[in-house]
């Protein structure tokens, strides 16, 4: 019941922002004269993003001897991401691990370290983008955003601490879980001792973070909204982190409301920012679907 209530709340905020944005004259003008080349560029970036995401996971799995083809990795990644719209965002990694185990035979205990690395990198990227955008802002605006940014960072630290404590207690109290965690520990050691895993993880993460930021910047350009570099970093990063911190599936409504709030502080027309937030979400979902469709004909259970 709580899940459906949170989903309804997120959808309601999303629809309200869309409706409010459409009441603004500047928004209607921008949509009637939308620039299709930047819009298509944003869609291309949004399509490439899940492929890079899946490619990173595939390379990490190979390090721990759990190979998957790239097409299969894209399939699992896209479905796990879409599952975020039924469950909170932090359940993405467990869903991905279970799907990979049930359908493709990937050992969950060995896959867990790769999923934890992915989850950490997926938080780190938007967080660093938001902090970089904040640091590049003029001092007056930076001060106005410093307190909420510090609060987000503190919440992340608390969340990591709670997870670590839960893991330690589970280890102490469950003999069966100790064997499972032992296998996960061995896979973690393999990952940490492999120089290849560092190169692929950070290289592909950097590429993914770049295309995600470019997608938002190009979507804004399609609406005739010229974002500065700090604004693009902040608007592409901070709302994603905000969406991860609330138990609303997909962070729906939270990300969009965060973007509108940040845009208002930065001095951009709020109607256009609301439309940008909705458009960016739509482009991200369309890109996710395109990535799944493009890779579907080549989906196979073996290696590429």
């Amino acid at each position: 019941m709580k899940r459906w209530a949170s989903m309804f709340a997120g959808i309601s905020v999303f629809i309200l922002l869309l409706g409010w944005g459409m009441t603004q004259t500047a928004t209607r003008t921008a949509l009637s004269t939308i620039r299709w080349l930047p819009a298509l560029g944003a869609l291309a970036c949004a399509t490439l993003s899940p492929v890079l995401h899946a490619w990173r996971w595939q390379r990490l799995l190979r390090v721990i001897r759990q190979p998957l083809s790239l097409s299969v990795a894209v399939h699992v990644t896209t479905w796990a991401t879409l599952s975020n719209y039924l469950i909170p965002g932090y359940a993405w990694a467990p869903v991905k691990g279970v799907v990979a185990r049930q359908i493709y035979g990937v050992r969950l205990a060995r896959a867990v370290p790769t999923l934890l690395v992915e989850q950490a990198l997926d938080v780190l990227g938007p967080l660093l983008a938001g902090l970089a955008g904040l640091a590049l802002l003029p001092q007056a605006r930076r001060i106005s955003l410093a307190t909420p940014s510090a609060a987000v960072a503190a919440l992340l630290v608390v969340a990591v601490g709670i997870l670590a404590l839960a893991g330690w207690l589970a280890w102490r109290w469950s003999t069966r879980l100790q064997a499972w965690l032992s296998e996960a520990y061995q896979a973690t050691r393999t990952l940490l001792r492999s120089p290849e895993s560092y190169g692929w993880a950070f290289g592909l993460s950097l590429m993914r973070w770049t295309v995600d930021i470019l997608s938002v910047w190009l979507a804004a350009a399609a609406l005739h909204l010229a974002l500065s570099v700090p604004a693009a970093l902040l608007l592409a990063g901070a709302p994603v982190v905000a969406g991860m911190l609330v138990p609303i599936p997909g962070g729906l409504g939270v990300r969009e409301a965060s973007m509108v709030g940040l845009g208002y502080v930065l001095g951009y027309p709020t109607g256009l920012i609301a439309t940008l937030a909705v458009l960016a979400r739509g482009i991200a979902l369309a890109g996710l679907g395109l990535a799944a469709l493009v890779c579907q004909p080549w989906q196979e259970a073996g290696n590429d």
Side-chain angles (χ1 to χ4, degrees):
M1 186 67 180
K2 288 182 179 179
R3 182 186 70 182
W4 294 111
S6 63
M7 185 184 298
F8 177 76
I11 293 173
S12 299
V13 172
F14 186 85
I15 292 174
L16 283 172
L17 287 173
L18 176 62
W20 176 63
M22 291 301 296
T23 64
Q24 307 298 307
T25 303
T27 300
R28 295 196 298 270
T29 301
L31 287 174
S32 65
T33 59
I34 192 169
R35 299 166 62 191
W36 289 106
L37 188 59
L40 291 173
L43 180 59
C45 289
T47 304
L48 184 58
S49 179
V51 175
L52 292 170
H53 196 175
W55 190 11
R56 179 185 66 190
W57 186 48
Q58 181 213 23
R59 300 307 306 191
L60 292 175
L61 285 174
R62 285 189 175 184
V63 171
I64 59 169
R65 298 179 179 85
Q66 295 288 300
L68 280 183
S69 68
L70 178 59
S71 55
V72 166
V74 171
H75 177 253
V76 175
T77 298
T78 52
W79 278 106
T81 305
L82 286 172
S83 73
N84 279 353
Y85 290 89
L86 296 175
I87 53 180
Y90 38 75
W92 166 86
V95 169
K96 191 172 183 177
V98 170
V99 170
R101 182 191 65 182
Q102 295 294 105
I103 301 178
Y104 301 108
V106 174
R107 289 187 62 80
L108 185 57
R110 296 189 65 81
V112 161
T114 67
L115 296 171
L116 289 176
V117 168
E118 286 217 292
Q119 194 83 66
L121 289 170
D122 288 344
V123 174
L124 181 64
L127 182 62
L128 288 178
L131 290 175
L134 185 65
L136 293 172
L137 286 174
Q139 186 177 7
R141 286 179 178 168
R142 191 188 314 149
I143 290 172
S144 64
L145 292 170
T147 299
S149 300
V152 167
L155 283 172
L156 287 174
V157 171
V158 170
V160 171
I162 291 173
L163 288 174
L165 178 61
W168 180 79
L169 290 174
W171 172 271
R172 293 277 296 179
W173 292 342
S174 173
T175 303
R176 183 179 176 184
L177 189 60
Q178 285 184 24
W180 189 89
L181 289 175
S182 178
E183 185 178 359
Y185 173 71
Q186 293 301 322
T188 303
R189 288 184 65 187
T190 302
L191 272 179
L192 294 177
R193 291 179 175 183
S194 170
E196 178 187 359
S197 63
Y198 291 94
W200 282 105
F202 286 102
L204 290 171
S205 294
L206 183 60
M207 292 171 65
R208 187 191 173 209
W209 300 340
T210 301
V211 297
D212 286 345
I213 294 166
L214 273 176
S215 183
V216 173
W217 184 79
L218 287 168
L223 295 174
H224 306 273
L225 188 61
L227 296 181
S228 65
V229 171
L233 290 170
L234 194 58
L235 294 178
V240 175
V241 178
M244 292 178 180
L245 294 174
V246 293
I248 292 180
L252 192 64
V254 177
R255 284 169 54 174
E256 288 74 21
S258 300
M259 187 179 287
V260 171
L262 289 169
Y264 173 78
V265 173
L266 294 173
Y268 289 100
T270 49
L272 274 179
I273 291 292
T275 306
L276 170 61
V278 174
L279 180 62
R281 173 77 76 169
I283 287 174
L285 286 173
L288 198 65
L290 279 175
L293 287 174
V294 168
C295 290
Q296 185 65 33
W298 293 279
Q299 185 180 324
E300 57 188 14
N303 295 331
D304 281 338

